[in-house]
């Protein structure tokens, strides 16, 4: 029974589907894209297999699922029945409406045939009457048309006879366009009958039109006439058949060249006045009038050029090439005239104003001559001007810094480094201010160009950011090269940024080297981080450079570069000062004959000179460097020095001083004891402080002192003199160094070296040593008080 019901259900479902498809216009064809699984499980497809579907459903679904599926299918069947019922109702309503419409149409068409027959009869009657009227009026119409043609011919003949008078009247009123129009209109008649019936009229008209041609030529050749009037004259001459091709070079091109020369002469005349106004005062009221008059003049010139181009194109349609050449030449001269108005470093405000003028002029010129592609030239010109502006700004800042160093070098040589005005401190403060504030001013100037919304600047934004960043990179690299080369007595000749004249002296002064070293530290620690912050805030982006070129601004490289430069300059300063002291020590050791030296009576003069030079160095260092924050090492803090008592430098009993052999034994013992002493680190890491720099210089000087002593041979008196000099140096040197133990250690080394090179190394008695030192101190105090 189930098998009997199944086909009936399938037929019912198929019939329902066909009804729905016929009403909604669906496609009953099976889709070839369906898969076999869809055929088994999709009930709505034509290829649905109920047996397979049931087998698959029973195989993978439990009883509860089958009951749920039964409920769902029953609901779907009920919904389909409801939809089918609604469809039948809707179609029934449509059938009723269609029946009513057909009934009304049948009622309306019943009387239409009678009306159409009556209309046809009326149309036929009207047509017959119209044909009768046309037949009766045919003869009269032909006569009227003949008379009308005769009348028109008489009017033309009258126009020909009146043409000489008309032309004369137009000449008197200077209505040359009307005269040309009348004559050109009569030319066909003159060509046909000018040798017979209208010969007299033709001759008189030709004489009048000859006068018109002469007047037009005079207007064309007159410089007082406007361009539009001259262009009209050329057009009228062309209409009269007058050869005007030769006038292209004689008139209009001459006019354009004359216009360009006048514009260039005008720019030369206005430039000196404007520059003089800008140089005399910074008062804007004085320069506003000159600038406005110049701008108005340029506007008039550009307007005249636009009119000239318009007229030129009207007269000579195929002249774009020549006009393009003239427009490019004019643009170049306009740009050159704007550039020539400025001298020195151009501010961003002035540059923006110039670019606005160029942009406005180019826009007006491009409207009448787009073939010249002037906006592209404007962008290239703006790129050149902005690049030059960036280069000038960095060049000006570079010139300020290098000029200050050259001026400081000259000042140091003229006045000396111990001047009371503290020139090194003033130069350092000035250099820091120029570096920091000058860099900020440069960035502020550049930011004005970046923030302006001028279309040319917007197009060059990415490239401009790269130019600014690359400009800082090149500026700092050039400044570093200058510091290095200037410290060696020469100036780098790389051509960009601006060069500085080479100093006259062979070597740069030590104070200038110290200032440049401190400025290098300031650039690394303060200037570069601030510039990096400003660039990240306002000049980020760019990207116009290629990937191979790398980033235009690398702060880490600049900091590393100036860290190395500062260290090199500081070591150069220390070496120069230490060399100066070493030469003084060398002269004091190499000059005397130590084997014939007399018994010491006073500290030698070289000690005073050495301390005086050291004081001068201390004055220089105090002007530039800061004091160290570490506590000064006292003698008790270090185990690297011997006993600090001046009267007990070489421990021995009194009997040893009378015996040379015992003195030598004691010297040997001191060498052995030195092997077991704690090692003293002489050269520590250099810091940018007063104590560290002075200590390093003193250490190098005392090491040189020791080496020079080892090259000589001393008698007992010579050895005692070295002992006296070194003993006097202890206290003054300890006041200026960080570690006092180093002074004791190095001076002990000097004495030990002298004892090794002495034939009879017996030192002075402590009492005599103290007496001589006290006498020297008293003498120095009296000289200081008297001065």
């Amino acid at each position: 029974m189930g098998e009997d019901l199944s086909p009936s259900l399938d037929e019912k479902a198929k019939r329902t589907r066909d009804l729905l498809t016929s009403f909604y216009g669906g496609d009953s064809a099976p889709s070839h894209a369906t898969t076999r699984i869809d055929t088994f499980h999709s009930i709505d497809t034509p290829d649905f297999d109920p047996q397979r579907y049931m087998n698959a459903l029973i195989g993978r679904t439990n009883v509860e699922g089958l009951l749920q599926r039964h409920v769902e299918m029953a609901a779907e069947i009920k919904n389909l029945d409801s939809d089918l019922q609604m469809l039948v109702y809707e179609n029934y309503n449509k059938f009723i409406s269609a029946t009513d419409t057909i009934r009304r149409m049948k009622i309306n068409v019943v009387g239409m045939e009678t009306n159409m027959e009556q209309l046809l009869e009326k149309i036929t009657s009207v047509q017959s009457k119209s044909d009768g009227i046309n037949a009766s009026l045919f003869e009269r119409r032909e006569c009227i048309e003949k008379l009308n043609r005769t009348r028109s011919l008489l009017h033309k003949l009258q126009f020909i006879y009146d043409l000489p008078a008309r032309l004369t009247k137009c000449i008197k009123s200077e209505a040359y366009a009307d005269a040309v129009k009348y004559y050109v209109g009569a030319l066909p008649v003159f060509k046909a009958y000018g040798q017979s019936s209208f010969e007299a009229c033709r001759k008189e008209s030709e004489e009048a039109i000859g006068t018109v041609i002469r007047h037009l030529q005079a207007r064309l050749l007159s410089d007082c006439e406007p361009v539009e009037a001259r262009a009209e004259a050329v057009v009228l001459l062309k209409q009269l058949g007058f050869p005007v091709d030769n006038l292209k070079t004689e008139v209009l091109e001459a006019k354009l060249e004359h216009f360009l020369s006048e514009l260039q002469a005008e720019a030369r005349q206005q430039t000196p006045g404007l520059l003089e106004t800008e140089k005399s005062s910074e008062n804007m009221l004085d320069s506003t009038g000159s600038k406005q008059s110049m701008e108005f003049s340029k506007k008039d010139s550009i307007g005249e050029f636009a009119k000239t181009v318009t007229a030129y194109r009207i007269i000579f349609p195929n002249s774009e090439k020549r006009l393009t050449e003239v427009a490019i030449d004019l643009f170049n001269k306009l740009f050159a005239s704007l550039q020539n108005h400025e001298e020195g470093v151009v501010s961003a405000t002035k540059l923006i104003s110039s670019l606005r003028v160029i942009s406005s002029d180019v826009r007006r010129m491009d409207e009448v001559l787009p073939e010249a592609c002037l906006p592209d030239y404007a962008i290239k010109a703006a790129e050149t001007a902005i690049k030059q502006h960036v280069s000038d700004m960095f060049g000006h800042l570079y010139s300020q810094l290098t000029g200050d160093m050259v001026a400081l070098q000259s000042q140091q040589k003229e006045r000396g480094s111990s001047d009371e005005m503290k020139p090194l401190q003033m130069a350092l403060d000035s250099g820091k201010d120029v570096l920091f504030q000058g860099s900020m001013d440069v960035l502020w100037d550049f930011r004005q160009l970046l923030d302006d919304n001028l279309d040319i600047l917007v197009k060059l934004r990415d490239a401009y950011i790269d130019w600014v960043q690359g400009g800082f990179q090149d500026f700092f690299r050039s400044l570093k090269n200058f510091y290095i080369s200037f410290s060696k007595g020469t100036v780098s000749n790389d051509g960009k940024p601006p060069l500085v004249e080479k100093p006259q002296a062979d070597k740069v002064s030590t104070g200038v080297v110290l200032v440049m070293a401190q400025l290098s530290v300031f650039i690394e620690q303060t200037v570069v981080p601030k510039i990096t912050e400003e660039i990240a805030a306002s000049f980020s982006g760019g990207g116009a450079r290629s990937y191979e070129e790398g980033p235009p601004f690398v702060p880490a490289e600049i900091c590393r570069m100036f860290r190395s430069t500062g260290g090199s300059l500081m070591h150069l300063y220390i070496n120069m000062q230490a060399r100066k002291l070493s030469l003084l020590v060398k002269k004091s050791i190499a000059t005397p004959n130590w084997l014939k030296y007399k018994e010491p009576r006073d500290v030698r003069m070289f000690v005073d000179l050495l301390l005086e030079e050291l004081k001068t160095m201390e004055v220089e260092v105090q002007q530039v460097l800061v004091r160290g924050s570490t506590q000064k090492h006292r003698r008790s803090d270090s185990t690297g020095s011997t006993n600090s008592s001046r009267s007990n430098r070489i421990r021995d009993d009194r009997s040893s001083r009378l015996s040379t052999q015992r003195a030598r034994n004691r010297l040997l013992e001191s060498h052995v004891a030195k092997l077991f002493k704690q090692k003293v680190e002489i050269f520590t890491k250099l810091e940018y402080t007063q104590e560290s720099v002075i200590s390093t210089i003193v250490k190098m000087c005392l090491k040189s002192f020791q080496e020079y002593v080892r090259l000589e041979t001393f008698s007992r008196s010579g050895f005692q003199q070295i002992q006296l000099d070194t003993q006097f140096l202890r206290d003054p040197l300890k006041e200026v160094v960080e570690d006092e133990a180093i002074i004791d250690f190095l001076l002990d080394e000097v004495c030990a070296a002298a004892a090794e090179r002495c034939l009879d190394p017996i030192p002075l008695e402590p009492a005599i040593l103290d007496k001589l030192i006290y006498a020297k101190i008293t003498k120095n105090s009296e000289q200081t008080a008297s001065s």
Side-chain angles (χ1 to χ4, degrees), residues 313-331:
R313 299 190 70 167
I314 292 173
I315 301 168
F316 305 104
N318 299 323
S319 57
E320 289 82 3
K321 182 178 180 180
R322 176 56 185 160
L323 286 175
T324 299
E325 295 175 356
V326 174
I328 293 174
D329 189 14
L330 172 62
F331 173 78

Side-chain angles (χ1 to χ4, degrees), residues 224-434:
C224 300
E225 296 291 336
V227 176
E228 292 83 355
R230 302 175 73 180
E232 183 185 8
V234 173
V235 172
L236 295 177
L237 289 174
K238 279 185 174 182
Q239 293 178 3
L240 294 173
F242 188 83
V244 295
D245 291 338
N246 57 344
L247 298 177
K248 181 177 181 180
T249 303
E250 282 183 13
V251 182
L252 289 180
E253 287 197 0
K255 173 66 178 177
L256 289 174
E257 297 294 340
H258 180 67
F259 165 70
L260 292 175
S261 62
E262 284 184 351
L263 181 63
Q264 189 175 12
E266 178 185 359
R268 286 197 300 265
Q269 293 175 2
Q270 291 178 353
T271 299
L274 181 60
L275 291 177
E276 184 179 356
T277 304
E278 292 180 354
K279 291 180 180 179
S280 62
S281 173
E282 295 182 356
N283 188 356
M284 295 301 295
L285 294 176
D286 295 337
S287 59
T288 301
S290 299
K291 291 183 179 179
Q292 288 180 350
S293 63
M294 182 186 68
E295 291 178 0
F296 289 149
S297 177
K298 287 190 179 297
K299 288 181 180 179
D300 296 340
S301 300
I302 297 300
E304 185 70 17
F305 174 79
K307 293 179 182 179
T308 303
V309 170
T310 303
Y312 197 95
R313 299 190 70 167
I314 292 173
I315 301 168
F316 305 104
N318 299 323
S319 57
E320 289 82 3
K321 182 178 180 180
R322 176 56 185 160
L323 286 175
T324 299
E325 295 175 356
V326 174
I328 293 174
D329 189 14
L330 172 62
F331 173 78
N332 292 332
K333 291 178 180 179
L334 279 174
F335 181 73
S337 65
L338 288 174
Q339 291 293 103
N340 291 334
H341 285 308
E342 311 293 350
E343 283 187 354
V345 180
V346 182
S347 65
T349 305
K350 294 181 181 178
L351 181 59
I352 292 173
S353 177
S354 299
L355 292 178
R356 286 191 184 280
V357 173
I358 292 176
S359 179
S360 176
D361 294 344
V362 166
R363 192 180 302 111
R364 296 182 63 185
M365 295 166 66
D366 189 61
E367 290 176 357
V368 297
L369 191 62
E371 295 84 359
C373 299
L374 293 180
D376 297 337
Y377 286 93
I379 292 177
K380 293 180 181 178
E383 179 179 351
T384 302
I386 294 174
K387 276 186 177 180
Q388 185 63 39
H389 174 70
V390 173
S391 177
D392 290 344
M393 292 298 293
F394 284 117
H396 179 67
L397 184 59
Y398 177 87
S399 299
Q400 282 184 292
L401 292 170
T402 55
D404 290 344
M405 291 300 102
V406 174
L408 180 61
Q409 168 72 4
S410 303
Q411 183 181 4
Q412 288 289 97
K413 292 189 174 298
E414 292 176 0
R415 304 170 64 180
S417 59
S418 61
D419 192 85
E420 295 180 358
M421 297 298 294
K422 296 184 178 181
L424 298 183
Q425 182 177 356
M426 296 172 61
L428 178 62
D429 294 340
S430 175
K432 288 182 177 180
D433 183 68
V434 171

